[in-house]
Amino acid sequence: MAAVRISSRSGLPSLLLYLGIGIAMGQDGFFDVKFDNAELTQVIGYAALVVILAEGGLGTKWKEIRPALPAAVMLSLVGVAVSVGVTAAGAHYLVGLDWRQSLIIGAVVSSTDAAAVFSVLRKVPLPARVTGVLEAESGFNDAPVVILVVAFSTKGPVDSWYVLVGEIALELAIGAAMGIAVGWLGSYGLRHVALPASGLYPIAVMAIAVSAYAAGALVHGSGFLAVYLAAMILGNAKLPHWPATRGFADGLGWLAQIGMFVLLGLLVTPHDLLDDFWPAVIVGLVLTVVARPLEVFISLAPFRLPWQEKALMSWAGLRGAVPIILATIPMVAGVEGSTRVFNIVFVLVIVYTLIQGPTLPWLAKALRIADDPTEAADLGIESAPLERLRGHLLSVAIPARSKMHGVEVGELRLPAGAAVTLVVRDGKSFVPAPSTVLRRGDELLVITTDPVRDAAEERLHAVGQGGKLAGWLGAGGRSGSGGGGGSGGSGGSGDVGHAVQHDVSHALKAVKRLGKTGGGGPKTHH
């Protein structure tokens, strides 16, 4: 678990650390474990990717990703085509690979990795529109890329481009239909059927998501798209015992990543990578500096997005274990030169992930793409009173530029049913009064009932942007009529006050953790 903490603090996907562990265990490593079963690696990698996509879909909020869907679809279709063509041309003319090998490399590295994107972007303070597009793209573009890699790795002539386009469209349509159907039926069943134990709900949710992959693949559709859509529907269905389900899915996702990355590290032979280091750097340079920017600017031309956001998306096309897994497809198919293709992809992913991940926050700052002034994150505490009352615990950080600085708790004017119950300041926590003045660096614990959860977050967002007069100055959010101060606050219902008292020990522990980690957890940007 030390590797998890290091990767979280450095901004690097855990890919590099776990790949390093696998390399250290494998050939040329300390333990000299001999492992060269590409077929087994591909099977296990596919299974891990299904779990990772399911975990990512469960954590994707529909209201945030809905505006980003058209742009993400364009990047996943038009963008992939542009990226494959440009990267393949660079591999052919600059590195000297034949066209089949070049097309395979172009297709393999055109897939942004869901695990890398989810692990890095949810820790980098970016606007919700940018993270929404990138996360949706990483969930959608695996499907067309897998189809292209399989087509290019098949012995004999490659199908015409219009045949490939037709196959991709059909498989995506079937996969989307199966994912939506399985997700809707699964969420309906879990809401109306009482399971005998609360611990069965997390298992049932993951089983339904994985079933979507099986159903999609069974009818020759895209199983990857099916599992992502099904998980996204389940994640937005307000299912029972949801905090426990999210925790279970998150842990399962970490296990899948660890196992997949270690296995990929075992598969590679380090001394063979030296000969392909510079070809990998050249192909990666073409991909990162030419193909990805063209992909983004061409695909997003119909959308009125600032050039700064497009530039950031060009740099944030993170590759991870998915391209390395896809590079095993030509190895299993026996394509000539497939081992060299695998080595080039392996080196490319390591080098450019090492460069891109840590530099994303710096680039966002240089482009002046600020994050949301007020970040609200669900703490996800499994609590019987809150579960019964359909309540939520939110943590809200007040960054340096937030206009919430200097605002009194009572002036937040949260809607009835929401209250600020705790403030963490300089490592100490206290229960605020309505007259308590908020400061930069404070972290607030806000409890809300389910009907006003979104309205409370919108109001906090508005005050963060426009200050105490946000409701009158045109900043977004619903002003509400309740106070929201104190430990129950004017505007907070009696039931909510009882829930706070009952769960104060849980809340204090959660806030202490937040104080240590700087507000960790899945952040909800707007």
Side-chain angles (χ1 to χ4, degrees):
M1 291 300 102
V4 177
R5 291 192 294 270
I6 293 172
S7 63
S8 297
R9 293 172 183 173
S10 65
L12 286 170
S14 54
L15 157 75
L16 298 181
L17 295 168
Y18 296 120
L19 277 177
I21 293 173
I23 293 173
M25 293 172 58
Q27 301 180 56
D28 299 341
F30 296 110
F31 299 97
D32 197 27
V33 176
K34 306 294 184 183
F35 181 79
D36 58 357
N37 194 330
E39 187 172 1
L40 177 62
T41 303
Q42 180 182 322
V43 171
I44 295 177
Y46 272 31
L49 182 56
V50 169
V51 174
I52 291 168
L53 284 171
E55 189 275 329
L58 290 174
T60 301
K61 293 191 175 181
W62 172 246
K63 68 177 182 179
E64 294 180 2
I65 203 173
R66 180 174 55 187
L69 281 179
V73 170
M74 287 294 289
L75 279 174
S76 301
L77 297 177
V78 177
V80 164
V82 172
S83 180
V84 171
V86 174
T87 306
H92 179 71
Y93 291 110
L94 298 180
V95 178
L97 300 177
D98 64 43
W99 273 113
R100 183 180 291 272
Q101 295 171 354
S102 300
L103 287 171
I104 290 174
I105 287 181
V108 163
V109 299
S110 294
S111 174
T112 55
D113 180 69
V117 170
F118 294 149
S119 64
V120 172
L121 291 186
R122 292 179 182 178
K123 299 179 181 67
V124 177
L126 297 177
R129 179 167 55 186
V130 175
T131 56
V133 171
L134 292 173
E135 287 191 10
E137 178 199 11
S138 69
F140 293 158
N141 65 10
D142 290 335
V145 166
V146 169
I147 297 171
L148 289 176
V149 175
V150 172
F152 296 150
S153 301
T154 303
K155 294 182 180 179
V158 178
D159 292 333
S160 301
W161 67 268
Y162 53 86
V163 176
L164 290 177
V165 169
E167 290 179 357
I168 291 173
L170 180 60
E171 290 198 22
L172 291 180
I174 295 174
M178 292 304 298
I180 292 172
V182 172
W184 186 86
L185 290 173
S187 63
Y188 180 85
L190 288 176
R191 287 197 308 268
H192 291 82
V193 176
L195 298 180
S198 60
L200 293 176
Y201 282 91
I203 299 174
V205 169
M206 291 301 296
I208 292 170
V210 173
S211 298
Y213 173 84
L218 190 63
V219 294
H220 303 290
S222 171
F224 293 122
L225 181 60
V227 67
Y228 183 72
L229 290 178
M232 187 165 61
I233 292 173
L234 290 167
N236 289 272
K238 296 183 178 179
L239 300 177
H241 304 286
W242 184 244
T245 300
R246 283 294 297 130
F248 177 79
D250 190 48
L252 206 58
W254 273 110
L255 286 177
Q257 290 185 54
I258 293 170
M260 176 174 61
F261 296 158
V262 170
L263 194 62
L264 290 172
L266 283 172
L267 183 64
V268 73
T269 305
H271 68 261
D272 290 341
L273 300 178
L274 297 177
D275 294 336
D276 296 313
F277 179 82
W278 288 113
V281 171
I282 293 172
V283 174
L285 198 63
V286 172
L287 171 68
T288 307
V289 179
V290 182
R292 177 64 182 181
L294 280 176
E295 169 188 356
V296 170
F297 279 85
I298 291 175
S299 301
L300 302 183
F303 306 95
R304 296 182 179 179
L305 297 176
W307 71 267
Q308 293 93 335
E309 293 187 5
K310 293 181 181 178
L312 189 66
M313 291 183 196
S314 300
W315 189 247
L318 300 175
R319 272 72 192 176
V322 172
I324 304 176
I325 293 171
L326 297 181
T328 63
I329 294 177
M331 295 178 69
V332 175
V335 175
E336 183 180 355
S338 58
T339 301
R340 190 184 184 198
V341 169
F342 179 86
N343 291 338
I344 289 175
V345 171
F346 192 95
V347 174
L348 184 156
V349 167
I350 291 179
V351 171
Y352 286 92
T353 301
L354 186 62
I355 295 172
Q356 288 176 278
T359 56
L360 267 179
W362 174 85
L363 182 61
K365 185 176 180 180
L367 293 173
R368 297 183 178 180
I369 301 179
D371 62 328
D372 192 307
T374 302
E375 303 168 356
D378 274 301
L379 292 181
I381 296 174
E382 182 72 6
S383 166
L386 289 181
E387 180 77 17
R388 187 175 64 252
L389 292 172
R390 302 292 296 275
H392 298 269
L393 281 172
L394 306 178
S395 72
V396 181
I398 304 180
R401 290 178 293 177
S402 175
K403 292 186 179 180
M404 197 179 291
H405 173 77
V407 175
E408 294 182 3
V409 170
E411 292 172 332
L412 292 175
R413 293 184 290 121
L414 295 177
V420 179
T421 61
L422 210 63
V423 175
V424 179
R425 178 177 296 166
D426 299 329
K428 298 180 180 179
S429 59
F430 61 92
V431 176
S435 59
T436 299
V437 178
L438 301 177
R439 300 177 185 174
R440 297 184 183 94
D442 285 354
E443 293 190 35
L444 315 181
L445 186 69
V446 181
I447 190 166
T448 79
T449 53
D450 188 65
V452 300
R453 188 253 184 245
D454 292 339
E457 187 171 354
E458 288 173 9
R459 178 59 191 166
L460 292 167
H461 167 75
V463 176
Q465 285 188 325
K468 67 180 73 175
L469 300 180
W472 293 290
L473 295 179
R478 306 173 192 175
S479 60
S481 58
S487 57
S490 57
S493 68
D495 284 342
V496 174
H498 289 308
V500 174
Q501 294 173 5
H502 195 284
D503 293 289
V504 68
S505 61
H506 294 283
L508 286 171
K509 291 178 182 177
V511 174
K512 287 179 181 177
R513 288 197 301 271
L514 287 168
K516 292 178 181 178
T517 61
K523 295 180 180 177
T524 304
H525 296 278
H526 292 276

